[in-house]
Amino acid sequence: MKWISKIEKSAIVLLFAFNLVILFITVIYRYVLNNSPTWPEEASRYVMIWIIYLGVSQSIEKKTEIRIDALQRFINKNWFNVFTEFFAIFVCLVISAMLCYYSYDFTKILHQSSSFAASFSMPMYLIYAIIPATTFLMFVKYLSRLVSLFKN
């Protein structure tokens, strides 16, 4: 699991650097060459989406995702905390499994339709492939948290 985390972190850093280069190229084209190509803006948007999905997967691993813990603060019983943690992980497992399944179907449809990005020739299924990939990682990480919850 640690090697997956290292790959995710490296991908986030590389995509962020790539996005900075894309935006720098856009500024140069727009203000120095008086030409405004459309592909950098679209590419930057897709790269940011990839960074966000990889970041969500990282937040699950580090247990820093957004959660509502008002009840746990008021009812400080160990069994209640374990129950709410189990319930939250179970709900997140179901949601990530559904997202993975339906996004895989959507990506398959995009692959069959042979659609491309509007301003550059990249197949849309490659752009959208990040969704089933990261939701699968989310599912695996939540499953790992559930197993560790039962071990403790």
Side-chain angles (χ1 to χ4, degrees):
M1 197 69 112
K2 298 238 186 245
W3 63 274
I4 293 174
S5 180
K6 286 182 182 181
I7 291 172
E8 284 176 340
K9 288 176 188 175
S10 300
I12 289 170
V13 169
L14 289 174
L15 287 170
F16 190 73
F18 180 66
N19 207 15
L20 285 175
V21 169
I22 290 173
L23 293 174
F24 180 72
I25 289 171
T26 305
V27 169
I28 296 297
Y29 263 88
R30 185 170 292 153
Y31 295 109
V32 176
L33 303 175
N34 290 327
N35 185 3
S36 184
T38 57
W39 71 267
E41 292 178 22
E42 187 177 8
S44 175
R45 190 177 316 123
Y46 292 138
V47 168
M48 281 304 295
I49 291 170
W50 278 50
I51 291 170
I52 290 167
Y53 274 100
L54 289 168
V56 168
S57 180
Q58 277 292 296
S59 73
I60 293 168
E61 184 172 323
K62 297 186 183 326
K63 298 181 182 178
T64 56
E65 71 270 31
I66 296 173
R67 55 183 17 206
I68 300 170
D69 60 352
L71 286 177
Q72 288 178 334
R73 289 182 183 192
F74 291 118
I75 305 173
N76 195 13
K77 303 238 187 251
N78 191 32
W79 65 269
F80 186 75
N81 292 340
V82 171
F83 172 74
T84 56
E85 182 73 16
F86 169 77
F87 182 73
I89 291 173
F90 179 74
V91 168
C92 291
L93 268 171
V94 170
I95 290 172
S96 59
M98 287 174 53
L99 279 171
C100 185
Y101 176 78
Y102 288 113
S103 63
Y104 176 75
D105 279 351
F106 181 69
T107 306
K108 216 165 46 170
I109 291 169
L110 285 174
H111 180 63
Q112 293 167 350
S113 71
S114 300
S115 60
F116 288 87
S119 60
F120 58 98
S121 60
M122 185 172 188
M124 289 302 287
Y125 77 90
L126 289 178
I127 295 169
Y128 279 87
I130 192 69
I131 301 171
T134 53
T135 52
F136 176 74
L137 287 173
M138 289 164 52
F139 180 82
V140 169
K141 289 176 181 184
Y142 277 126
L143 196 61
S144 171
R145 278 177 57 183
L146 188 65
V147 168
S148 68
L149 182 69
F150 280 121
K151 282 184 180 179
N152 294 336

